[in-house]
Every structure is written in structure tokens, then in C-alpha cells.
Amino acid sequence: MVDYLANTEINSQRIAEVESCFGASGQPLALPGRVLLGEGVLTKECRKKAKPRVFFLFSDILVYGSIVLSKRKYRAQHIIPLEEVTLEPLPETLQAKNRWMIRTAKKSFVVSAASATERQEWISHIEECVRRQLLATGRPPSTEHAAPWIPDKATDICMRCTQTRFSALTRRHHCRKCGFVVCAECSRARFLLPRLSPKPLRVCSLCYRELAAQKRREEEEEEGLCAGSPARLGCGASSGDDDDDSDEDKEGSGDGDWPSRVKFYESGVSWSSFHS
């Protein structure tokens, strides 16, 4: 089907219509061999609330944007190369159904369809396009993914210290490494995450300690290789791991402490269950 449509007039017209809807703010989408396979409206879970977004599945990219006027005007165009995409179906809850996560190295987010059938169709078509794109490019499937941001309404308290309560004056922040909702005190640190940005980004206290410890171990390994001292490497890594564990145990002492790496979206519980 993809090969058949690649150079047809109808495919060119459909892609031109999508380009027209995004206008000058969008990037050109027409490329030789690129096919527009499907489109539809999905609900994307954003930081503050879930919002409808228009999605376009091409043979090699996934495009989505905000809806200004249905079928006529879209904005905030986002383009995701399919070879970077991994899909993860999510469990059903009373409040959230027909969801799945779109994971990439730079950004991961949750979307939902209007029905279970529609969700399965989207997942099947995207996964098939990903498979074809990986074969065409010779790339292995992506294994490193950005953490999805947990929505603001998921918690009324900082998910690190579990002490600070958010309000109109005490704002929420997000750790760029784990996606947790944290207070300003628990996210003072900045760390360079090259996959996400060339500039240091806000990270929570726990992620900062883990990232800093990992960086120290890597530096010690490089020094050890240069000095030809393998024994030193083992001591450095072990010591770093021990220090990391003890620091993690000391962080917070209340009964409501968050697990260091809870998988929020895979837990299958409602957001209210995470409130203090």
C-alpha cells in the first residue's frame, strides 16, 4: 500500500492539504516517497490537563499539532521520526481508558483514543510503520526514552520530599530526568542531559545525585583505563553505589515517601490515590 501510494497525485494532494492547515508556522512535509497513511484526533495528556490534538501518520514520521479550526487550521506542529518511536499500551482505569504512551529519546507522552478499537488501530499502524522504517534505515529499535511528565493534577504535594504542598503561591516543577512533580527546593539542581538539550536542565535532588554519581564513575573508568589500573575501577564503582544507596535512604523519612522509581503510568491507579 505504501509503495503504491508513494508517487500518486492523491497522496501529494493530501500532504499539501496538511501543510496548508499548518501554514507558514509548520515545516514542509512533502518528500519523495513519503506517504500520508492516516489522520485523526487523539487526546494528549498535557502538563495541566488533557487536550485534543490532531495526529497525522506518515510512512516515516508522526506529526501532531494543536487544533485551531478543525480540518482548516492547526498550529504548534511537532514532527517525530518513526525510527525513534516505541509504543507502550497502558492499563485501564475508571478515569482513563484506551491510553498508550508514545516514547522517544527526547519526549514521551500519553495519548488516548475514543474507543478500544481505535486505539488498537493506531497502535497497529504505527508499529508497522516503525518496523518498516527500521528495516529501511538499518537502525536498531530505540532503547533510551525520555521520562513522561506526570500531570500537575496527579499530586498536591512534592513527590520527592512529600512535605511541600502546592498552592497558588507554591508552584509545581518537573524533573527533566524522571518526570516527577517536585517543589522548587527539591529541584534546585541543574544537569546536562545531552539527549534533551544542549543546556543544563532542572532535575530533582534524587536524579541529580544519581546522575552525578554516574558521571563520577565514568570519569574514574576513563582515568583507570588511561592508567591501566582495572582494580581501581571496581573500587570506585562499588563505593559510588554504596554512597548512592545511603543517600537515597536518607531522603525523606515520612510514611508518604515516594519510591525512587515508581512507574506512575503503569500503576493502574487513579491520580487521587497519589494525593496526600
Side-chain angles (χ1 to χ4, degrees):
M1 176 63 75
V2 174
D3 296 334
Y4 170 76
L5 291 172
N7 299 308
T8 62
E9 183 65 25
I10 185 65
N11 179 62
S12 299
Q13 290 176 355
R14 292 179 67 199
I15 294 178
E17 289 173 2
V18 176
E19 289 180 332
S20 175
C21 288
F22 279 106
S25 63
Q27 297 183 36
L29 298 173
L31 284 179
R34 176 175 288 170
V35 177
L36 175 58
L37 298 172
E39 63 183 85
V41 175
L42 299 172
T43 300
K44 179 177 178 287
E45 293 187 7
C46 302
R47 174 177 177 173
K48 294 188 178 298
K49 65 178 182 179
K51 300 177 181 179
R53 294 287 185 261
V54 61
F55 281 77
F56 299 92
L57 176 60
F58 292 81
S59 52
D60 61 332
I61 57 174
L62 182 66
V63 177
Y64 70 93
S66 302
I67 303 171
V68 179
L69 188 61
S70 182
K71 301 289 186 180
R72 294 192 178 184
K73 186 173 179 58
Y74 308 125
R75 63 179 179 82
Q77 182 192 75
H78 296 267
I79 300 177
I80 305 175
L82 285 178
E83 62 266 25
E84 299 177 5
V85 170
T86 301
L87 302 186
E88 180 182 340
L90 297 176
E92 301 283 286
T93 70
L94 292 176
Q95 293 84 6
K97 298 182 181 298
N98 309 319
R99 303 184 305 162
W100 71 97
M101 188 180 299
I102 298 175
R103 302 175 69 98
T104 74
K106 291 187 176 182
K107 184 174 184 178
S108 299
F109 55 92
V110 173
V111 294
S112 60
S115 67
T117 300
E118 184 180 352
R119 179 182 82 154
Q120 189 54 49
E121 289 179 350
W122 271 103
I123 292 177
S124 297
H125 289 311
I126 293 175
E127 287 183 336
E128 175 60 19
C129 288
V130 170
R131 185 188 67 80
R132 290 174 61 97
Q133 191 63 13
L134 289 175
L135 285 174
T137 60
R139 291 181 51 175
S142 179
T143 56
E144 293 188 357
H145 305 109
W149 281 21
I150 295 175
D152 284 359
K153 65 179 180 180
T155 179
D156 294 329
I157 60 173
C158 173
M159 297 172 71
R160 279 294 170 231
C161 68
T162 69
Q163 303 299 314
T164 302
R165 182 170 291 277
F166 299 121
S167 66
L169 298 178
T170 305
R171 61 170 298 193
R172 294 167 169 83
H173 299 278
H174 279 81
C175 171
R176 269 55 171 182
K177 180 66 170 63
C178 67
F180 273 26
V181 183
V182 291
C183 65
E185 185 65 29
C186 289
S187 59
R188 290 186 179 280
R190 301 291 186 274
F191 203 90
L192 183 63
L193 303 172
R195 287 189 292 110
L196 303 184
S197 171
K199 299 180 180 179
L201 300 175
R202 179 188 296 271
V203 294
C204 69
S205 53
L206 175 61
C207 286
Y208 179 79
R209 289 202 304 273
E210 293 181 345
L211 289 165
Q214 179 183 352
K215 183 178 180 181
R216 287 196 299 271
R217 289 194 295 270
E218 291 173 351
E219 290 173 348
E220 289 172 358
E221 288 175 1
E222 290 179 1
E223 291 174 1
L225 289 173
C226 292
S229 176
R232 182 185 170 193
L233 301 183
C235 294
S238 177
S239 174
D241 289 342
D242 290 342
D243 290 343
D244 233 14
D245 291 340
S246 61
D247 283 344
E248 182 175 332
D249 291 339
K250 292 175 185 175
E251 184 179 90
S253 58
D255 294 336
D257 288 349
W258 283 79
S260 62
R261 283 292 174 264
V262 63
K263 292 187 176 181
F264 175 83
Y265 283 104
E266 296 178 12
S267 59
V269 297
S270 64
W271 288 337
S272 60
S273 299
F274 293 95
H275 291 182
S276 171

